[in-house]
Structures are given as structure tokens and as C-alpha cells.
Amino acid sequence: MKKTNNFLITMLVAFVLSCVGDDDFGVPNITNENPDIPVEKITTFKAIKSLYEQAVNGGNTTVVVRDDIYIEGYVISSDKAGNFFEELIIQNKIDDSNPDNDPRLGFKIDINQSSLSDTYQLGQKVFIKLQGLTLGETSGVVTIGKGDAVNVQQIQATEYRDIILRTNDIVEIKPKVVALENLTEADENTLIQLQNMQLNRFELGASFASESFDEFDGLRLLESCESGIQIIMQTSTFSDFKSLIVPQGSGTITGVFSRDFRDNFNVLVINSSADINFDSTERCDPIEFSCGLATTIGTGNLLYEDFEPQRNNRPIEIDGWTNYIEAGTQAWEGYSSTSSNASLGRSARFQSASSGDISNIGWLITPAIDLDAQDGESLRFKTSNSLADSSYMEVFYADDWDGTEAGVTAATWRILTDAYVVKDTDSFAEWFSSGNVDLSCISGSIHIAFKYTGSGQSTFDGVYELDDISVDFVE
């Protein structure tokens, strides 16, 4: 019996081993030995990026590496939570030291294989065998893969483990702590950390990527409490945390700096929901104020502006008004539309789309309005937009602004929450009324400000129009 059992066990083991082939089931090629790469064959990320840039300057879109060379880097992406797919992001350094001699750079590696985190862990040191690989650009970032003189294609599942050689070294990657306004293309494909950030208040309560309008990715607008500059957090609708609610407070967020699929705007891609640490309950939203909506439109008028005398595509210039550029190069300007907007004639427009500016913030502020000389004051205006694209407009009042441009950001501006301003989800090119916003519970002399804030994306930004501003009172 013992001999028979031993024979059967031996045959069973042989059968199992013959069925479980590495190519069939993707079993990682685990080894305890680090790859033996000659030092003279290891080059730098900077040299490889320069090789690609040289090809681009010569009119090519890709370049094939012919030399038997390697780069040495660290894995900074993980598909464990499903927010990366068939790609590895690697950078050359574990921190941001010695930026002059060895600039911190990263590459995307395109691989026709899922569950890469089973083989390559976060922080794992790897060597990339570059000979025969193609350098190019996919979705706006420099990518390593196979390909030809035009396109970068995926490294196949049967070969990637012979190209991306893992070591036994797994280290902690220290993200670069950076302000949004200081990010450059050199930071793409690298791990960054943004501090004092929060989800834009118009998106509070949203999930990462499970809203009805999310297709492929959820795009959530984050903003800096220090500069007001914004960036899109991109989350796959296939991620494990897509249905979680984005934290409502403020704090830090760590992720890979990248571009969206169509290369229209910058995005931040996190490895998991744990990369957001909005541990403070305090937010940096403006002060809200409400008198409600007035039931009566007064017959007296304190201020009216329809912008008809203004010149198209030229900055608004009206005596007593302030057209202040807080950030960027764009200002409120005169505008006449040939669409349905034309029914209102000329209007004021803020257009930062395709301006090339990292950030656009513009204020259009009324002259002083005395609310003590009469009763029953109210505000009315109309707004329209074209491609709001995460930009937005708000209406404020202040009773402590000194009337100078230098004093705009120092004043205490309160947002008039009852005033309706057109939203990105509203019908394109239609005009929407603000409602009859009650001002009668405010006393003293005030200024009303119409503030435009761009999305912070140089090519993904919006257009707002403003018209028929009227401050009335009951006689």
C-alpha cells in the first residue's frame, strides 16, 4: 500500500507541475538574486529623456533605443486598488535630493498585463532593459514600450519580466512636496504631495468615481487653500474605492502627477484612497451670507449696467468699476455673441480657455453702493457660460474694501448664496436669471464683486458671460 501511495503521489505532483506553466498563469519569476547589470551599461533617466527630446526636435514622434543599456528606477504606481491599469510608473530617485546633478524624472511603462502589483511592489527597485524598446508619448506623458516610428505599443505579457528586472530592494519613496503653481512637465510621472488642499465645495458629497456622469474616470476638482489654484483628481471607475465619498476636510494628498487620457489637462492619480489625508475639519471656503430672495422688485434704481458701450474683446472699462486680474493674464472683456446670447446684445465675458495660463482669477467690482439711504434693496443679473469645464463664477459683497486693487484680496468678501449663477450642467448658451437677491438686511456702503476662478488647467478652462446687472430699491 505504501509503495502504491508513493507512486500515485509522485504521478500527481508531476501532473500538477506540468499543468501549471509560467506563461499560462502569469506566475511571477521570483528570485532571491539581484540582476547582475554591469555599471557601464546603466544610463540616467535624463539621458534617455534627452534622447527622446532629440528625436522630437528632429520631427519624429518616437525613438527606438538601439544600444544595450539599462536604467535603474523605483516603482511609484500600484494597480492593487485598480486605479492604474496595464502600466508601471517608475522614477529615478527615492526623494528630491541633488536636483541639479540628477534631476528627478519618471517614465510610464506600457505593459499588456494586469495585476502588476503582484510582481512589482511600491518602492521596488527595478532595472529596465532598454535595447529594442520605443520611447514616445501616450496621453501626454513620456512612455516606454514597444512600437515603431510613429506609435508606442504595449510590452507583451510573455516578455515584460525579461525587460523589467526586479531586485530585492523595496524602499520608501518620499514624494516631492510642491505647490501647484510650481509644477512643471519635469514632474510628470513622479510622486508628488500637495499640502493644504481640499475638494471644491461644489463637489462636496461626491464619490471618487461612481456618479452617474462618470465614464471611465471620475474627475474631481481639488483646490489649494493657499493659492486657490486647482487640479483634477482622476480616479478610474474600475477602482476598488470608486464608491467611497471623497473626504470633506482639508489636508494633504499624494499621487502621481500626470495628464488626462486625451492630454487636455493635468491630473493627479492616487494609488489608493489612503493617499488622501484630509484630516482637518476646517475648510477654506468663503464666508456665506444670505438675506433670502426679495418678493418685490423695487421701482427705484441705484445701479444698472448692460455693457453696451464696451468694445468687443477689450477689457471692461467703466468709471467707478474695477476690473482686477488676481492671477493670469485675462480680464473681464466686452463680448457680443452670434448665438442665442445675441438677444441680450453686448455683455461682459471672462474667457480663460486656451489662455495658456496656469491660473486665471478675475474680479469685476461695482462702484460703492450706499444701502442706508433707502429701503428694500435687491440685486439682479444674468449669467451664461460656454464650456465652464470646472471653472466657476461667484458673487460677493464687501463693506471693508478700500477701493484699491492692492486691497481686493485683503477685504472680507461674503458670498451671496441666494444669487443663482449658471452651472456647468446648465444648458449651453442660455441666459439664467440670478433671482431677485435681497440686500435689505445689509447696512452701510458696499461693493459687489463678480469673481471668475479658472480650473487651473492651461487648455481645459471655461467661459462665463455676465449682463444686465441691476441694484433696485423700493420707493
Side-chain angles (χ1 to χ4, degrees):
M1 289 293 292
K2 289 183 180 179
K3 291 182 179 180
T4 303
N5 286 342
N6 288 339
F7 175 76
L8 291 175
I9 291 172
T10 302
M11 293 299 294
L12 179 61
V13 170
F15 175 76
V16 171
L17 290 177
S18 67
C19 290
V20 183
D22 187 53
D23 289 344
D24 294 333
F25 291 89
V27 177
N29 183 18
I30 298 172
T31 176
N32 292 323
E33 296 182 2
N34 285 328
D36 184 16
I37 309 297
V39 175
E40 64 272 15
K41 290 191 174 185
I42 299 175
T43 189
T44 64
F45 278 47
K46 180 181 179 181
I48 295 305
K49 188 170 184 182
S50 296
L51 178 67
Y52 167 67
E53 291 172 343
Q54 185 182 67
V56 171
N57 292 336
N60 299 308
T61 57
T62 65
V63 60
V64 178
V65 181
R66 303 298 182 187
D67 298 327
D68 183 16
I69 54 177
Y70 297 75
I71 52 174
E72 173 185 345
Y74 299 87
V75 177
I76 61 169
S77 66
S78 173
D79 58 13
K80 188 173 183 179
N83 207 29
F84 288 89
F85 181 68
E86 296 189 348
E87 62 185 2
L88 281 180
I89 313 297
I90 61 168
Q91 69 180 45
N92 57 339
K93 304 169 69 175
I94 63 174
D95 55 32
D96 195 35
S97 59
N98 301 319
D100 296 328
N101 297 330
D102 183 21
R104 179 174 163 276
L105 296 170
F107 294 121
K108 179 171 76 172
I109 306 177
D110 208 358
I111 308 168
N112 186 19
Q113 177 68 37
S114 59
S115 300
L116 290 167
S117 58
D118 292 344
T119 306
Y120 306 100
Q121 299 183 46
L122 273 173
Q124 188 151 33
K125 181 179 175 181
V126 295
F127 290 93
I128 313 299
K129 182 177 175 61
L130 292 173
Q131 189 174 37
L133 298 185
T134 299
L135 299 172
E137 193 173 280
T138 61
S139 297
V141 295
V142 181
T143 303
I144 298 173
K146 287 300 185 75
D148 49 35
V150 179
N151 300 306
V152 180
Q153 299 167 357
Q154 290 185 313
I155 299 169
Q156 293 305 305
T158 56
E159 59 184 342
Y160 75 91
R161 286 191 293 273
D162 295 324
I163 293 172
I164 308 162
L165 309 176
R166 59 184 227 161
T167 74
N168 297 322
D169 299 333
I170 299 176
V171 301
E172 178 185 358
I173 305 295
K174 296 179 180 179
K176 177 183 179 181
V177 179
V178 61
L180 274 173
E181 61 267 30
N182 294 328
L183 286 170
T184 68
E185 286 187 8
D187 294 300
E188 290 174 356
N189 288 326
T190 68
L191 197 67
I192 65 168
Q193 184 178 93
L194 304 174
Q195 299 182 322
N196 202 12
M197 298 290 294
Q198 68 177 23
L199 181 69
N200 181 272
R201 64 186 180 279
F202 296 127
E203 301 203 55
L204 289 176
S207 63
F208 280 89
S210 66
E211 304 304 316
S212 59
F213 50 81
D214 291 330
E215 184 178 3
F216 301 113
D217 292 299
L219 304 177
R220 302 293 177 261
L221 188 62
L222 303 178
E223 59 192 7
S224 167
C225 285
E226 296 174 356
S227 65
I229 297 177
Q230 301 166 330
I231 189 171
I232 299 292
M233 176 178 63
Q234 177 178 290
T235 306
S236 171
T237 54
F238 295 96
S239 68
D240 294 346
F241 55 93
K242 67 176 182 180
S243 297
L244 294 179
I245 303 301
V246 180
Q248 313 290 287
S250 61
T252 64
I253 179 170
T254 301
V256 176
F257 182 53
S258 190
R259 299 282 292 173
D260 77 296
F261 179 76
R262 294 181 176 84
D263 189 24
N264 288 325
F265 48 90
N266 296 330
V267 296
L268 188 68
V269 186
I270 61 177
N271 283 301
S272 74
S273 59
D275 290 330
I276 297 183
N277 186 25
F278 289 176
D279 56 349
S280 174
T281 57
E282 295 185 5
R283 291 179 52 86
C284 55
D285 299 328
I287 303 170
E288 295 185 354
F289 185 86
S290 172
C291 293
L293 293 175
T295 57
T296 302
I297 298 176
T299 55
N301 184 261
L302 297 175
L303 179 144
Y304 180 77
E305 183 57 58
D306 62 4
F307 305 105
E308 287 301 325
Q310 299 303 302
R311 299 177 64 184
N312 284 346
N313 305 314
R314 298 291 181 88
I316 297 291
E317 294 182 353
I318 308 172
D319 287 344
W321 287 68
T322 299
N323 190 356
Y324 172 58
I325 300 174
E326 180 182 339
T329 60
Q330 305 301 302
W332 284 93
E333 62 184 12
Y335 173 67
S336 292
S337 173
T338 57
S339 68
S340 59
N341 286 355
S343 60
L344 292 181
R346 189 169 282 111
S347 61
R349 176 178 72 169
F350 200 104
Q351 176 176 268
S352 62
S354 301
S355 67
D357 295 327
I358 294 175
S359 174
N360 278 289
I361 303 175
W363 301 69
L364 188 61
I365 309 175
T366 70
I369 302 169
D370 184 2
L371 298 181
D372 290 340
Q374 62 285 309
D375 297 318
E377 301 93 345
S378 61
L379 165 70
R380 292 177 295 140
F381 58 88
K382 295 176 181 178
T383 54
S384 180
N385 70 15
S386 305
L387 306 174
D389 286 348
S390 297
S391 63
Y392 55 94
M393 182 185 134
E394 301 161 298
V395 185
F396 298 88
Y397 88 90
D399 57 12
D400 63 349
W401 178 45
D402 63 7
T404 68
E405 289 191 353
V408 170
T409 56
T412 305
W413 294 97
R414 295 173 172 84
I415 189 167
L416 294 169
T417 56
D418 298 308
Y420 187 83
V421 178
V422 63
K423 299 178 181 178
D424 197 13
T425 53
D426 287 326
S427 299
F428 170 74
E430 292 186 13
W431 285 96
F432 292 84
S433 172
S434 64
N436 193 30
V437 182
D438 193 353
L439 303 177
S440 63
C441 66
I442 308 172
S443 60
S445 179
I446 69 168
H447 294 84
I448 296 173
F450 301 88
K451 180 184 178 184
Y452 172 95
T453 303
S455 69
Q457 314 300 322
S458 59
T459 58
F460 180 73
D461 228 331
V463 180
Y464 273 82
E465 291 98 25
L466 169 68
D467 209 354
D468 290 349
I469 302 169
S470 183
V471 178
D472 308 303
F473 65 94
V474 177
E475 294 181 294

